[in-house]
Amino acid sequence: MPKIVDKEAKKMEILNAAMQVFAHKGVVKTKIIDIATTAGVGKGTIYEYFRSKEEIFTSAYTYFSKTMESMVQEALSKEDDPLKQLELILTISLDAFVHIGEEFADIMMEFWAEGIRNKNQDILDVINLKGVYSNYRKMIQKILKKGIEKGVFKPMDTKSTASVLIGALDGVMLQWIMDRKAINLRKVSVVLLDSFIEGIRKRE
Amino acid sequence: MPKIVDKEAKKMEILNAAMQVFAHKGVVKTKIIDIATTAGVGKGTIYEYFRSKEEIFTSAYTYFSKTMESMVQEALSKEDDPLKQLELILTISLDAFVHIGEEFADIMMEFWAEGIRNKNQDILDVINLKGVYSNYRKMIQKILKKGIEKGVFKPMDTKSTASVLIGALDGVMLQWIMDRKAINLRKVSVVLLDSFIEGIRKRE
DNA sequence: TTATTATGACCGACCGGTCGGTATTATATT
DNA sequence: AATATAATACCGACCGGTCGGTCATAATAA
């Protein structure tokens, strides 16, 4: 009886369109009609799949962060050395920025900006709880703990150290976004890794 | 003939009001009427002193970053040891966040978010050229160079290292803003300083 | 009175979200 | 097979409301 459409697939199409536009114009400047046009549907159709602009945004964020996380998990599972694992996390994150494309970086920044700007706790919760942050922190913490056990790293406050590492990573990307000419991301990432690992490595 | 008013003083009053509201509501959600009300003037009056909302924003940013910079400069001039100087920069920046009040942190975040969101190059230029970033980087770079000369730090790519340090600082603050409960800023800053300095210090 | 400054009513552009109507297609009926 | 029916998908005109910026008018000082 009904017109058969793969609702899920179409929802993803719209989500993809939304992410594209978010990355290009920024969340605030993105109008529903922009997303609709990009997705090749009418404005009203958007509301068949999402309740509101905010729901589109949070969906995009969740999707994005899950993708990112599984990429990292996948890579980590193939490596056992804590030192190498740390290196992997940095490399993958930065590579995601540099290689997979500027669009990737831009949308990540959009999420940050939106989280920062939004005093509305809802969005902040989505970002913190489902988001890259707490998961990344836990992942890194686990690596650090294992490294300490193995005697590769010296004893430390793993939680704070994990925060510092994530912070450094984010911060460097932030600067890069703000002024790509001024920052050589490759160079900086090497320095970041070296000086950081130098700082936590156990010495004879 | 003219009504006697200190134009400059009134402009600052409006700017202060604007910064207050920006910090409280975020730039996008701040309406001209909010600023006017806070400043205790009529909406139209705002336009006697600023051409547009964007001009208010960029003025606020410039003012803010100059204040911040001179605070740091002032403190640095009283200390000669490169190691201590680095410590000072971290301490002052973090203290500004923690002590001087949440408002401070919030408005800084607002500037970031605005810079990130705005693909409009004008705002990005204001932030990068006049902004905290390039100056901070230069300041830190100078300290690092001096430290290397003095033999306190090992040789390194000072520019990249400076970026990493700023990045770490920013990133940690970012995390703190996003989820204050999850981050103990004091603890983290100690770890940041220790592990970083440990990483660049020259060894016997 | 005249020059200057302050003001808020007003304007017009904009936008998120709704809703009535149309198109499409699967099934039921003949 | 042809037709009718029902269910769903799709659409864009429209509505209610918002907000940056303007401008005619008022207030005030000289």
Side-chain angles (χ1 to χ4, degrees), chain A residues 18-30 53 57 60-61 64 97 102-118 123 127 174 177, chain B residues 28 112-120 178:
Chain A
M19 289 196 280
Q20 233 171 283
V21 186
F22 283 159
H24 188 65
K25 302 187 69 168
V27 174
V28 172
K29 284 186 184 158
T30 295
K53 189 183 170 184
F57 171 75
Y61 180 77
F64 181 83
F97 264 59
E102 314 250 313
E103 208 175 88
F104 195 86
D106 285 345
I107 196 162
M108 189 68 205
M109 294 311 293
E110 266 310 312
F111 289 134
W112 280 348
E114 203 55 27
I116 291 164
R117 175 174 48 251
N118 228 295
I123 286 193
I127 292 182
L174 189 62
I177 295 293
Chain B
V28 171
W112 278 352
E114 202 56 26
I116 290 163
R117 176 176 49 250
N118 227 296
K119 307 291 178 185
N120 171 345
M178 299 278 252

Side-chain angles (χ1 to χ4, degrees), chain A residues 124-163:
Chain A
L124 275 181
D125 282 349
V126 171
I127 292 182
N128 282 317
L129 300 178
K130 300 190 186 175
V132 191
Y133 272 103
S134 71
N135 285 332
Y136 255 47
R137 194 151 50 218
K138 278 175 202 147
M139 265 191 254
I140 293 178
Q141 225 178 318
K142 217 158 68 182
I143 297 175
L144 291 177
K145 274 183 186 153
K146 204 175 59 183
I148 296 172
E149 274 169 35
K150 289 195 174 182
V152 188
F153 301 145
K154 57 188 173 192
M156 68 185 98
D157 173 348
T158 53
K159 191 178 176 191
S160 298
T161 308
S163 291

Side-chain angles (χ1 to χ4, degrees), chain A residues 22-29 106 109-121 124 127-129 133 137 154 157 159-172 174-175 177-179 181-184 187-189 191-192 194-196 198-200 203, chain B residues 22-29 106 109-121 124 127-129 133 137 154 157 159-172 174-175 177-179 181-184 187-189 191-192 194-196 198-200 203:
Chain A
F22 283 159
H24 188 65
K25 302 187 69 168
V27 174
V28 172
K29 284 186 184 158
D106 285 345
M109 294 311 293
E110 266 310 312
F111 289 134
W112 280 348
E114 203 55 27
I116 291 164
R117 175 174 48 251
N118 228 295
K119 308 290 179 183
N120 171 347
Q121 200 56 40
L124 275 181
I127 292 182
N128 282 317
L129 300 178
Y133 272 103
R137 194 151 50 218
K154 57 188 173 192
D157 173 348
K159 191 178 176 191
S160 298
T161 308
S163 291
V164 168
L165 184 56
I166 295 173
L169 191 58
D170 284 352
V172 162
L174 189 62
Q175 288 176 70
I177 295 293
M178 298 278 252
D179 192 358
K181 287 184 296 298
I183 301 285
N184 181 327
K187 256 196 200 170
V188 171
S189 68
V191 171
L192 168 56
D194 284 355
S195 65
F196 187 79
E198 197 60 29
I200 64 172
R203 263 167 244 300
Chain B
F22 282 158
H24 188 66
K25 302 187 67 168
V27 174
V28 171
K29 285 183 184 160
D106 285 345
M109 282 297 159
E110 265 310 312
F111 288 133
W112 278 352
E114 202 56 26
I116 290 163
R117 176 176 49 250
N118 227 296
K119 307 291 178 185
N120 171 345
Q121 200 56 38
L124 276 182
I127 292 182
N128 282 317
L129 301 178
Y133 272 103
R137 194 152 49 220
K154 57 189 174 191
D157 173 347
K159 191 178 176 192
S160 298
T161 308
S163 291
V164 168
L165 184 56
I166 296 173
L169 191 58
D170 283 353
V172 163
L174 189 62
Q175 287 176 72
I177 294 292
M178 299 278 252
D179 192 357
K181 287 185 297 295
I183 301 285
N184 181 328
K187 258 195 200 170
V188 172
S189 68
V191 171
L192 168 56
D194 285 355
S195 65
F196 187 80
E198 198 61 28
I200 65 172
R203 265 167 242 299

Side-chain angles (χ1 to χ4, degrees), chain B residues 16 22 24 30 32 34 43 81 92 102 106 109 113 120 139 146 154 156 165 179:
Chain B
N16 274 320
F22 282 158
H24 188 66
T30 295
I32 298 295
D34 300 328
K43 185 181 169 185
D81 177 20
I92 290 173
E102 313 251 314
D106 285 345
M109 282 297 159
N120 171 345
M139 265 190 253
K146 205 175 58 183
K154 57 189 174 191
M156 69 185 96
L165 184 56
D179 192 357

Side-chain angles (χ1 to χ4, degrees), chain A residues 36-47:
Chain A
T37 307
T38 305
V41 301
K43 185 181 171 185
T45 305
I46 300 291
Y47 288 90

